[in-house]
Amino acid sequence: MTGRVNGKIALVTGGGSGLGAADCLALAREGATVIVTDVAFDAAQRVATRIGNGAIAMALDVSSEAAWQAVIADVDQRFGHLDILVNNAGIVQMADCEDVTLEQFRRVNAIMNEGVFLGCKYALPLLKRAENASIINMSSTGALLGYPIFFAYSAAKGAVRSMTKSIAVMCQDKGYRIRCNSVHPGAIETPMVQEAEGRIGTERPVASGVLPAGEKGAPEDVANIVLFLASDESRFVNGAEFVIDNALTIRAW
Ligand code: NAD
């Protein structure tokens, strides 16, 4: 199948690396015009250049309200609406509830909790102008399981999971043609997971259950679900959570 998101305008946060980059490539391959955003503008530019026609790069720190307002104003001026918003940007932070500092907790939540809220809030006026819009929020299995050393990260991802459902129902109740779903990957081979594994390996013994012992997924495994949720194929899928973890979260032992 080709052209699954033909003619749609998509904005992806954290699009310069890992899962976000794979999302951008998949959406562009299937016909979307992709706004690749990242706090690391060079990285966003590299992905946009790789896509070529049909992609533009923009600098966006998702934790900044002013940056969101500026980017949305730019998108409004260029396109007048937005069909797809992928709130993907994130960082990893490793400390349990006893060790994490308030500053660390706030930083993680500023990016992955407030960043998703700001993205939804400021993109909604443009999404409301689309025929069938879709918000895809990147959560994690961290929102579903007890990972002690990903305390702040899991708190943020739990917030993403619940705000997704709240937005889905709000949009339905207000008659907006906007769906909102969350995605919950397990361990996927990206720079973030490499960093986390490196730190687990050097700072702590590798505890079973911290990261799955099995093979990791590829960014495309997540991008395939994002693409489905972005497309009109998923028109009856709303407020749902998609776990992409090769059975990690449903094991009974
Ligand atoms: P990554 O480190 O490869 O990419 C993250 C991107 O986000 C980078 O390009 C980075 O520059 C950008 N970013 C960081 N802070 C930002 C900010 N303030 N504003 C805008 N962009 C910012 O990581 P990844 O593995 O691709 O992770 C992408 C998302 O997927 C994250 O939300 C992460 O929590 C989530 N996730 C990843 C995995 C996994 O196994 N890789 C599992 C579950 C969830």
Side-chain angles (χ1 to χ4, degrees):
M1 207 186 300
T2 54
R4 293 165 65 190
V5 286
N6 228 1
K8 291 185 186 277
I9 312 294
L11 188 155
V12 179
T13 69
S17 173
L19 304 189
D23 295 344
C24 291
L25 293 166
L27 289 164
R29 187 193 71 223
E30 295 295 330
T33 296
V34 182
I35 303 150
V36 186
T37 73
D38 205 295
V39 70
F41 180 62
D42 288 357
Q45 247 180 341
R46 278 195 293 276
V47 172
T49 302
R50 205 172 141 193
I51 293 171
N53 282 343
I56 50 173
M58 290 188 194
L60 172 61
D61 175 352
V62 295
S63 66
S64 161
E65 185 172 28
W68 267 112
Q69 287 169 315
V71 162
I72 290 298
D74 193 348
V75 174
D76 189 8
Q77 205 165 37
R78 288 172 194 255
F79 304 106
H81 78 286
L82 186 66
D83 300 279
I84 299 159
L85 171 67
V86 185
N87 282 310
N88 162 83
I91 57 167
V92 72
Q93 198 279 326
M94 292 163 66
D96 67 19
C97 180
E98 291 189 304
D99 293 341
V100 73
T101 65
L102 179 58
E103 192 186 349
Q104 288 169 329
F105 187 87
R106 282 183 175 156
R107 176 167 150 70
V108 167
N109 277 276
I111 294 171
M112 294 193 294
N113 181 352
E114 290 180 16
V116 174
F117 154 61
L118 291 171
C120 294
K121 179 176 176 61
Y122 285 105
L124 273 166
L126 295 194
L127 292 162
K128 278 154 73 172
R129 295 190 207 139
E131 282 287 306
N132 292 300
S134 175
I135 301 172
I136 298 134
N137 290 331
M138 197 56 64
S139 183
S140 165
T141 50
L144 311 171
L145 292 170
Y147 286 123
I149 64 162
F150 295 113
F151 176 74
Y153 179 92
S154 298
K157 294 304 193 185
V160 170
R161 178 189 187 219
S162 45
M163 81 171 89
T164 296
K165 296 181 197 309
S166 176
I167 289 166
V169 174
M170 181 199 78
C171 290
Q172 193 169 64
D173 285 353
K174 290 187 172 179
Y176 304 158
R177 295 176 307 276
I178 306 170
R179 296 177 295 107
C180 186
N181 293 287
S182 61
V183 176
H184 302 255
I188 311 292
E189 192 70 62
T190 69
M192 177 185 285
V193 160
Q194 281 160 11
E195 182 195 332
E197 283 183 328
R199 290 175 54 197
I200 291 168
T202 54
E203 291 174 13
R204 291 164 190 268
V206 179
S208 63
V210 170
L211 289 175
E215 199 177 321
K216 286 189 280 297
E220 293 72 27
D221 294 322
V222 178
N224 287 334
I225 297 293
V226 169
L227 185 58
F228 168 69
L229 291 172
S231 78
D232 295 344
E233 294 158 27
S234 57
R235 68 183 197 115
F236 203 57
V237 180
N238 197 4
E241 44 194 70
F242 280 73
V243 179
I244 310 167
D245 71 347
N246 193 25
L248 169 73
T249 46
I250 51 95
R251 295 184 75 92
W253 65 91

